[in-house]
Amino acid sequence: MSLENKIRDLATRVGTECNNLRNEHGALAALNTTDKSSLVAAVNELNLAITNFSSINDAATGSGTTWSSSKVSLEINTALSNLVNGAPAALDTLNELATAIQDNDTDINSLLTDLGKRVRTDINNQVLSDQEKLNARTNIAAASESDLTDGLNACVRTDTAAQTLSVEQQTNARTNIGAVSATSIGDTERNLVADFEAALA
């Protein structure tokens, strides 16, 4: 092989290696930095940006500052402490709370059932069975609406002369006011003078 051929082979190999280096490092135009004139210029621009970035500041919060890892850890532990808020060790995690609720599901359902049997005072449309209503009235010594209606209907009215009362109710009313029945008195319109004169004849 001649010297010329050897030099040409060397030049070809050097050119190939230069292209490989260029391909591995990419084109300067693809850099995201403002200065794309060289890798050194781009690295210097990046270094300046890092140097000018706000330093760690544990005393403030904001988009331009950051906390140290110790400050972050402290804030997390403080938040956890506030969340637990002195709960016993057996109930200071969500998993322990879920397990406790599941283990006591029957007791909780019994409690809810018992609460449902209580007369509510915050609403006026609670649905109760007749027996539950009776128990509630008995417990607070109250009368039912029908008891009141029956009681009122059994009272002698003074605003009308057409009230319908049973014989027993009429007797009770007369007794309560010291009166006698109309049949006991008889016909108050009878002409007793005519009866007297008829007896004389």
Side-chain angles (χ1 to χ4, degrees), residues 120 122-128:
R120 297 180 59 175
D122 59 328
I123 60 175
N124 62 0
N125 60 347
Q126 185 179 6
V127 179
L128 298 173

Side-chain angles (χ1 to χ4, degrees), residues 169-186:
Q169 291 173 329
Q170 292 175 348
T171 301
N172 292 338
R174 289 195 301 271
T175 301
N176 290 335
I177 64 173
V180 295
S181 67
T183 55
S184 297
I185 296 175

Side-chain angles (χ1 to χ4, degrees), residues 111-122:
L111 179 61
L112 292 176
T113 299
D114 289 341
L115 286 175
K117 295 179 180 179
R118 300 298 183 263
V119 177
R120 297 180 59 175
T121 59
D122 59 328

Side-chain angles (χ1 to χ4, degrees), residues 6-151:
K6 290 181 179 179
I7 293 175
R8 289 179 62 187
D9 288 344
L10 176 61
T12 300
R13 179 60 184 271
V14 170
T16 300
E17 292 299 326
C18 287
N19 282 331
N20 289 338
L21 288 173
R22 183 181 299 169
N23 292 332
E24 289 177 0
H25 293 288
L28 294 175
L31 289 170
N32 289 328
T33 57
T34 302
D35 192 341
K36 305 179 190 302
S37 60
S38 67
L39 288 177
V40 173
V43 170
N44 286 338
E45 181 182 329
L46 180 60
N47 179 65
L48 180 62
I50 294 174
T51 302
N52 292 334
F53 186 77
S54 299
S55 61
I56 292 175
N57 184 359
D58 288 346
T61 57
S63 59
T65 60
T66 185
W67 285 344
S68 65
S69 59
S70 58
K71 174 66 173 177
V72 171
S73 178
L74 175 64
E75 290 296 323
I76 291 175
N77 289 333
T78 299
L80 287 174
S81 178
N82 292 337
L83 179 63
V84 173
N85 196 25
L91 296 172
D92 62 356
T93 68
L94 293 177
N95 182 59
E96 289 170 343
L97 287 173
T99 300
I101 292 174
Q102 184 175 4
D103 291 345
N104 295 279
D105 186 58
T106 301
D107 293 338
I108 293 174
N109 287 334
S110 297
L111 179 61
L112 292 176
T113 299
D114 289 341
L115 286 175
K117 295 179 180 179
R118 300 298 183 263
V119 177
R120 297 180 59 175
T121 59
D122 59 328
I123 60 175
N124 62 0
N125 60 347
Q126 185 179 6
V127 179
L128 298 173
S129 67
D130 290 340
Q131 185 61 49
E132 289 170 335
K133 292 178 181 179
L134 174 60
N135 292 341
R137 291 194 301 270
T138 302
N139 290 336
I140 63 174
S144 68
E145 182 179 0
S146 60
D147 290 338
L148 295 175
T149 301
D150 292 342

